[in-house]
Amino acid sequence: MGAMTEPSPWWSRAVFYQVYPRSFRDSDGDGVGDLDGVTAGLDYLVELGVDALWLNPVTVSPMADHGYDVADPRDIDPLFGGIEAMDRLIAAAHERDIRITMDLVPNHTSSQHPWFQAALAAGPGSAQRERYLFRDGTGPDGLLPPNNWISIFGGPAWTRIVEPDGRPGQWYLHLFDPEQPDLNWENPEVFEDLEKTLRFWLDRGVDGFRIDVAHGMSKPPDLPDMQIAENRMLADMDSDPRFNHEGVHDIHRNIRSVLDDYPGAVAVGEVWVYDNAAFAAYLRPDELHLGFNFRLVRAEFDAEEIRDAIENSLAAVALENATPTWTLSNHDVEREVTRYGGGALGLARAKAMALVMLALPGVVFVYNGEELGLPNVDLPDEVLQDPVWERSDRTERGRDGCRVPMPWRGDAPPFGFSTTADTWLPMPPDWAALTVERQLADPESTLHFFRRALRLRRQRGGGSALTGLSAEGGVLTLRTASGLTCVLNAGERPVELPTGEVLLASTALAGGQLPPGAAAWMV
Ligand code: GLC
């Protein structure tokens, strides 16, 4: 019998566009973006050339962590337009051949979820409490938390409750905000409910999920103390029992077996696991289809560092013959224009890095506003909303600066994002120069550059394997199986380009030379 070659799934070289729904476009004038706003922006996204959307959480939520605290996973929050708005978005996106993926938050719920409310009311030892991680305290009268775990947002990962009889009672675990209690994944009801959620959205036409904290969920049963070295979500410390516990893989297998009932459905996990073998374990054929790899986000603008990040990411997925993913930014990290130095320098480097990313094999994630070259915004204390700000006793400013709404048109805030100037985060007046409208009128704009890059990527078989990767003298060179060469100058001086035709450059080229902080695609 001849070998059968499976056709590649739709996502294998896709460009995903991450929509932070609060900040994309507001259709009803309340200052917060919503799903009808996303629908209204679909033609813009078609012109940009994306294949799929990843929507940050839009399900019912008190918004303590802007939707990552889910009170009802099978309905859309009225703030975002309710379930009809989701149905309209799915239909309108599919008409345009754009797939829709949703954020799924299985590690925790909102403290307003009926399950948690029932757990509080039912008391210690009840079946209701068994859906979460309630424990008695330690020390005299249970005054101290059950172990020393700390929350990713700062402070202890445990909060003590008041029992129904009014007495101080048990503690519950929350790796994030106290309003995000961790679920007990040892309890079969938890997966049963997740399965309902998966099928609910897949049956409505959703094409897949981004799985939040996909290396969380499972916890060691005895909840041993952690060694408090550095509080971060990246599980690169064997001594951190909060993440990457082996039980997590059964959960992914169970999720996968549901997705497999829906041909084409994809799951991409947020897997902050540093070790290549441990990371690859999430991409075994019966687990996640894709895992976010954050090495490129963490790399400085340095040819060797970037090369190492790429090599490492490729080596990790190669262990399971899985598809690599790439991203330069998202709603949790400082925008790359700012990371790479800010101003004209940061923007030039961000565009150069976009050409590197879009030349890489596999799947790419572009975060809304990246295509406009938006920088991070320095917001005044009084408008900060990220729970990180208060939880860290106002020492960490949190992630609001990368979540400021998109500027669409006009000369003053809210720049067509909304009809009210009172947007959920204030928009900087100098974004007048960065609006979609302005950039469409300027053929040299960042937006036109992204459109050209995405079009060329598609036309030229982008996302195909690398045949060469080197870093020398501050210059990074990639060659792809489809015949593209990408050269990045991360050094200090202009460099000669190899002979060939320049398809696209991130900046104007002077006499065949590539300036510092620039990249070019060549054939
Ligand atoms: C993920 C999300 C982040 C959220 C956290 C808790 O890291 O990307 O925004 O705060 O999970 O759900």
Side-chain angles (χ1 to χ4, degrees), residues 149-210:
W149 291 9
I150 42 185
S151 149
I152 291 294
F153 292 165
W158 296 93
T159 291
R160 192 170 197 189
I161 63 157
V162 176
E163 296 296 347
D165 65 7
R167 278 191 287 200
Q170 288 195 298
W171 297 71
Y172 69 90
L173 179 72
H174 51 86
L175 292 185
F176 296 89
D177 198 73
E179 295 175 58
Q180 294 166 296
D182 279 49
L183 286 161
N184 172 16
W185 274 89
E186 296 297 311
N187 184 337
E189 274 187 81
V190 172
F191 181 74
E192 281 161 25
D193 192 70
L194 187 78
E195 174 165 359
K196 278 193 211 157
T197 301
L198 292 167
R199 293 190 188 278
F200 180 87
W201 295 115
L202 291 164
D203 287 339
R204 285 190 109 86
V206 160
D207 302 285
F209 301 94
R210 176 267 190 186

Side-chain angles (χ1 to χ4, degrees), residues 34 65 98 123 130 149 174 190 220 230 315 387 452 463 488 515:
D34 46 45
D65 186 21
I98 292 182
E130 278 305 302
W149 291 9
H174 51 86
V190 172
E230 201 179 341
R452 282 196 286 274
L488 168 80

Side-chain angles (χ1 to χ4, degrees), residues 120 223 274 330 521:
L120 292 180
L223 304 178
Y274 209 56
N330 63 40
W521 280 357

Side-chain angles (χ1 to χ4, degrees), residues 136-147 160 169 171:
D136 293 331
T138 54
D141 300 322
L143 266 175
L144 298 172
N147 71 16
R160 192 170 197 189
W171 297 71

